Amino acid sequence: MKDKFYKINILGLERDLPICKINEKMSIAAFVMFSDVELTIHAAKELLKLAKDFDIILTAESKGIPLAYEMSKQSNKKYILARKNKKLYMKNPIGFEVKSITTDFVQTLYLDENDCQTLKNKKVLIVDDVISTGKSIEVLEKLTLKMGGIITQKMAVLAEGDASNRKDIVYLEKLPLFFE
């Protein structure tokens, strides 16, 4: 069987995304920024052009990491990572559960005490690579608000499926879902 791809153009950069079956009825075009330095730098630059004033960037482990890092580098503002597991070095971690479209199970995203304090009274820009169901972003919102942060915007490189109809997110390109 020949591999299927979806060709996407993200503000001038074209990529062929492999089509991956999620279940019997639906497939997605897999977007993975890891190792695509050109795309990561480009997307960070374009998202920062659209960003409102912010003090800090917050993302979820793991696919949002390269984007948050590059946006941090370009803006000279710190980023914080909500971890998928409690780590030994984390002091008094706080977590919320999330079930995203690309995982088979419920996960918990954690912030440690120091990161929680860093968010307090700060203008927070929440970023991710793709927003689909919005569940990961929702958990990042809960963590931000619980810690006293002020959400200025929610951004992603791509909005997948119905997420592209949301008015509360900023994204660079739509990504369709594929139904059989």
Side-chain angles (χ1 to χ4, degrees):
M1 180 179 147
K2 188 176 179 207
D3 291 334
K4 293 182 181 180
F5 292 89
Y6 174 74
K7 185 176 284 302
I8 191 164
N9 185 313
I10 303 170
L11 300 176
L13 286 183
E14 284 191 356
R15 295 296 185 266
D16 289 325
L17 307 180
I19 305 292
C20 301
K21 195 173 201 75
I22 294 291
N23 58 43
E24 290 179 14
K25 297 179 183 179
M26 185 174 68
S27 296
I28 62 170
F31 178 70
V32 181
M33 293 182 73
F34 293 126
S35 301
D36 194 337
V37 176
E38 179 187 32
L39 179 59
T40 302
I41 292 169
H42 179 70
K45 178 181 173 185
E46 296 302 323
L47 285 170
L48 285 169
K49 287 179 185 177
L50 303 172
K52 295 178 181 174
D53 185 36
F54 66 94
D55 300 315
I56 196 155
I57 298 165
L58 176 64
T59 195
E61 189 175 34
S62 66
K63 287 173 33 184
I65 295 172
L67 179 64
Y69 170 82
E70 186 59 33
M71 290 177 76
S72 174
K73 182 179 167 189
Q74 290 183 26
S75 67
N76 201 29
K77 302 214 176 161
K78 181 178 180 171
Y79 78 96
I80 291 177
L81 173 64
R83 303 296 305 253
K84 289 182 180 175
N85 297 298
K86 291 181 186 178
K87 303 295 181 186
L88 293 175
Y89 58 79
M90 296 175 89
K91 290 175 50 179
N92 303 316
I94 304 235
F96 285 100
E97 289 185 345
V98 61
K99 170 80 170 80
S100 75
I101 193 170
T102 55
T103 56
D104 290 335
F105 51 90
V106 174
Q107 298 175 315
T108 303
L109 293 177
Y110 296 95
L111 290 175
D112 78 357
E113 185 174 76
N114 293 330
D115 289 337
C116 291
Q117 286 302 313
T118 301
L119 288 176
K120 190 172 184 170
N121 299 318
K122 294 289 192 306
K123 292 179 273 185
V124 180
L125 175 61
I126 297 174
V127 301
D128 209 349
D129 62 332
V130 178
I131 297 175
S132 186
T133 63
K135 298 298 183 186
S136 297
I137 291 289
E138 185 179 305
V139 169
L140 294 173
E141 287 180 275
K142 287 179 182 178
L143 285 165
T144 300
L145 296 174
K146 184 171 178 87
M147 297 309 114
I150 303 140
I151 300 166
T152 59
Q153 257 177 322
K154 297 169 279 188
M155 303 182 117
V157 179
L158 304 175
E160 185 173 52
D162 289 342
S164 65
N165 298 323
R166 292 177 57 162
K167 303 296 181 208
D168 65 323
I169 63 171
V170 174
Y171 59 91
L172 299 179
E173 187 60 57
K174 295 178 182 180
L175 185 63
L177 294 171
F178 303 90
F179 298 95
E180 297 176 29

